[in-house]
């Protein structure tokens, strides 16, 4: 399995190939590099049964990830998160077959643990001692947590206006946070220069081809959890566009290695008003993405004004017959509340963008009532409490007396005294 399982790196634009090294752009055309695999060989060795016997984490799919065979206790237990049948939300939206992939319950409470798990393992294989990233918020926590467990030094660069809760979270793992005056795109530019000067593993720069592969596990898991059947339609949020691009690659690979029958998955993608360069281009029928200079949205984890994979998202959404949506801050807060109240899942603003998108896609007829739909919930609501503070149901304030409680809420006890009720059978 190990020998020759990984093909190498290949330029997405001109097709030139490169060896497996910490590089991320083509020398000739500056196109992004992707990891390739020996699919015919994997077809011989991979089976549903061997995967099902694997660990309850993303490592059960390691032959389709660009790393050496993981050991029993390799990293945190990342991935294999719940796929929840969402009957209540489905009913509210008019969908018969809706599932929520709840990635808010990863070790650092976002899907970024997946990409980081792959990136840090690969960084180790390359012999790096320092792990770093440019983050919109969630990557910071994931990188800091993984570096702490691996005993690596960590430098985390973020825009100065990142949510306080995400900063405190990442700092707690002992990482060196660097708050940069500027937008995420400024942070990213600084990190690109640093990656040339320092021998550090920047997970979304020189490690990007490996890092981004981690997102494929969200396609693999959902398919296995649906009983090895592809969903009809998925909805996912877009920051750099890597997640959507790699979901598409992941669904394709499952077919290439014969784990599922040939089929197609419609992919719809969601952005937030105030930073929707990809959705704006898609909806205007353009393929060129016009960067947003000053992103302004409560969905800060998605606030990338100049998304590296934006163009590929447009092509994939078009090719698969999906669509794109834009959600306002009010839509996002309402959608967070709707998901929490119907399914008991509390998501951050990015998840609000996804659920709001799903709602719009049903209303416009893009998502059909009978389709098997999966919505990807990529981050935890505790990270962005301030987004729902004013819309969540308000508490009442009472004195510590029954009279005050009943008076305030207008309640009276049932006429049969509690003491007279039949005893519960143990
Ligand atoms: C990073 C992130 C995404 C998507 O990121 P891409 O750069 O498009 O892969 C989605 N949701 C959350 C919560 C994120 O932190
Ligand atoms: Zn190239």
């Amino acid at each position: 399995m190990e020998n020759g399982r990984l093909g190498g790196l290949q330029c997405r634009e001109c097709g030139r190939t490169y060896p497996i090294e910490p590089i991320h752009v083509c020398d000739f055309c500056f196109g992004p590099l992707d990891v390739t695999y020996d699919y015919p060989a994997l077809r011989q060795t991979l089976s549903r049964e061997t995967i099902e016997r694997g660990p309850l984490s993303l490592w059960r799919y390691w032959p389709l990830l660009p790393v050496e065979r993981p050991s029993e206790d390799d990293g945190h237990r990342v991935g294999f998160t719940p796929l929840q049948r969402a009957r209540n939300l489905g009913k509210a939206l008019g969908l018969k077959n809706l599932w929520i992939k709840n990635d808010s319950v990863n070790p650092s409470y976002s899907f970024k643990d997946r990409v980081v798990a792959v990136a840090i393992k690969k960084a180790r294989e390359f012999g790096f001692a320092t792990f770093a990233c440019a983050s919109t918020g969630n990557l910071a926590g994931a990188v800091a947590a993984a570096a702490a467990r691996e005993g690596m030094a960590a430098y985390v660069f973020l825009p100065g206006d990142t949510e306080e809760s995400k900063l405190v979270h990442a700092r707690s793992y002992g990482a060196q946070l660097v708050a940069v005056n500027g937008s995420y795109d400024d942070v990213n530019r600084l990190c690109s220069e640093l990656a040339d000067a320092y021998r550090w593993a920047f997970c979304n720069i020189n490690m990007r081809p490996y890092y981004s592969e981690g997102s494929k596990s969200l396609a693999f898991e959902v398919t296995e959890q649906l009983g090895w059947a592809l969903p009809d339609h998925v909805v996912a949020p877009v920051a750099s566009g890597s997640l959507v691009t790699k979901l598409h690659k992941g669904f394709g690979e499952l077919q290439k290695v014969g784990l599922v029958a040939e089929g197609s998955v419609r992919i719809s993608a969601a952005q937030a008003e105030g930073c929707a360069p990809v959705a704006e281009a898609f909806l205007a029928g353009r393929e060129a993405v016009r960067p947003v200079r000053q992103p302004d949205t409560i969905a800060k984890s998605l606030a990338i004004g100049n998304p590296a994979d934006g163009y590929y998202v447009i092509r994939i959404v078009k090719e698969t017959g999906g669509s794109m949506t834009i959600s306002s801050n009010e839509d996002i807060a309402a959608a967070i509340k709707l998901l929490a109240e119907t399914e008991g899942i509390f998501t951050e603003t990015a998840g609000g963008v996804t659920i709001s998108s799903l709602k719009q896609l049903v209303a416009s007829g893009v998502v059909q009532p009978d389709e098997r739909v999966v919505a990807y919930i990529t981050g935890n609501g505790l990270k962005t409490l301030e987004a729902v503070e004013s819309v969540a149901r308000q508490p009442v304030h009472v004195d510590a007396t029954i009279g005050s409680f009943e008076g305030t809420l207008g309640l009276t006890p049932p006429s049969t005294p509690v003491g007279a009720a039949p005893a519960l059978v143990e």
Side-chain angles (χ1 to χ4, degrees):
M1 173 85 68
E2 193 67 309
N3 272 346
R5 174 181 61 92
L6 292 179
L9 295 175
Q10 184 168 36
C11 175
R12 209 181 286 170
E13 287 301 320
C14 73
R16 276 196 175 76
T17 56
Y18 297 84
I20 297 284
E21 278 171 10
I23 51 172
H24 69 297
V25 282
C26 177
D27 287 339
F28 293 87
C29 76
F30 301 106
L33 303 180
D34 282 316
V35 180
T36 62
Y37 301 79
D38 183 348
Y39 297 113
L42 283 167
R43 190 178 257 272
Q44 300 301 313
T45 51
L46 262 183
S47 70
R48 294 178 181 180
E49 292 69 32
T50 53
I51 291 169
E52 285 165 1
R53 277 199 302 272
L56 292 171
S57 73
L58 85 172
W59 296 135
R60 67 207 272 112
Y61 309 102
W62 77 269
L64 285 165
L65 296 170
V67 292
E68 289 166 11
R69 180 192 285 276
S71 66
E72 278 296 307
D73 63 345
D74 222 320
H76 289 112
R77 215 222 58 148
V78 173
F80 217 68
T81 53
L83 182 71
Q84 178 169 324
R85 182 80 200 246
R87 288 205 170 79
N88 300 333
L89 179 60
K91 205 165 164 199
L93 297 178
L95 293 174
K96 297 203 186 79
N97 302 297
L98 175 64
W99 282 265
I100 300 292
K101 179 60 169 170
N102 183 9
D103 238 27
S104 71
V105 294
N106 272 309
S108 78
Y109 312 104
S110 86
F111 101 98
K112 290 294 196 303
D113 287 318
R114 296 177 184 271
V115 280
V116 164
V118 175
I120 200 162
K121 187 160 162 50
K122 200 69 201 172
R124 277 294 204 214
E125 291 173 20
F126 286 137
F128 285 103
T130 301
F131 200 45
C133 71
S135 173
T136 55
N138 286 320
L139 190 53
V143 160
R149 193 179 191 284
E150 287 291 315
M152 288 175 86
Y155 286 86
V156 166
F157 298 78
L158 314 98
D161 72 343
T162 305
E163 297 97 334
E164 189 59 25
S165 49
K166 286 181 181 167
L167 296 176
V168 176
H169 179 209
R171 285 198 279 133
S172 302
Y173 297 109
Q176 179 62 62
L177 262 64
V178 183
V180 178
N181 301 324
S183 69
Y184 174 81
D185 292 300
D186 298 316
V187 175
N188 199 46
R189 202 172 328 108
L190 169 64
C191 288
S192 297
E193 289 170 22
L194 289 170
D196 288 338
Y198 290 76
R199 217 190 115 68
W200 293 355
F202 272 92
C203 68
N204 47 348
I205 299 175
N206 51 344
M207 298 300 291
R208 189 169 176 87
Y210 313 99
Y211 157 94
S212 60
E213 286 285 284
S215 289
K216 294 189 311 189
S217 60
L218 273 171
F220 302 156
E221 287 178 19
V222 157
T223 304
E224 181 182 348
Q225 288 169 317
L226 288 173
W228 294 106
L230 296 172
D232 295 321
H233 203 147
V234 300
V235 183
V238 171
S240 73
S242 173
L243 167 59
V244 163
T245 308
K246 295 295 173 152
L247 283 174
H248 184 247
K249 187 175 187 227
F251 288 125
E253 285 180 348
L254 290 174
Q255 298 168 63
K256 279 189 187 166
V257 301
L259 285 167
V260 293
E262 303 263 308
S264 61
V265 180
R266 302 175 72 196
I267 300 183
S268 287
Q271 289 206 293
E273 196 177 293
C275 189
V278 187
E280 277 163 10
F282 177 88
L283 295 170
R286 279 189 273 117
E287 283 202 335
V289 175
R290 289 185 198 141
V292 171
R293 247 171 246 295
Q294 302 256 307
D296 180 19
T297 165
I298 58 170
K300 291 185 180 175
S301 54
L302 304 179
I304 296 185
N306 191 8
D309 289 305
Y311 163 75
Y312 302 103
V313 169
I314 293 172
R315 295 225 334 226
I316 287 166
V317 169
K318 214 186 275 177
E319 228 176 80
T320 63
S323 190
M324 289 199 72
T325 59
I326 301 172
S327 298
S328 69
N329 287 349
E330 293 70 37
D331 296 338
I332 295 168
I336 293 174
K337 191 166 174 259
L338 176 65
L339 178 65
E341 289 180 351
T342 54
E343 295 299 332
I345 293 173
F346 187 37
T347 185
E348 71 150 89
T349 45
V353 171
T354 302
I355 297 302
S356 162
S357 174
L358 180 61
K359 203 172 155 184
Q360 293 183 51
L361 292 166
V362 175
S364 63
V366 173
V367 168
Q368 317 247 300
D370 292 323
E371 281 187 305
R372 290 152 62 93
V373 182
V374 175
Y376 285 102
I377 294 304
T378 48
N380 195 294
L382 293 174
K383 290 172 175 253
T384 58
L385 281 177
E386 56 290 340
V388 281
E389 220 164 13
S390 61
V391 296
R393 189 172 181 180
Q394 295 298 332
V396 294
H397 295 275
V398 302
D399 296 327
T401 64
I402 289 194
S404 171
F405 167 73
E406 289 182 349
T408 308
L409 281 158
L411 291 173
T412 46
S415 51
T416 325
V418 174
L424 289 173
V425 179
E426 289 277 310

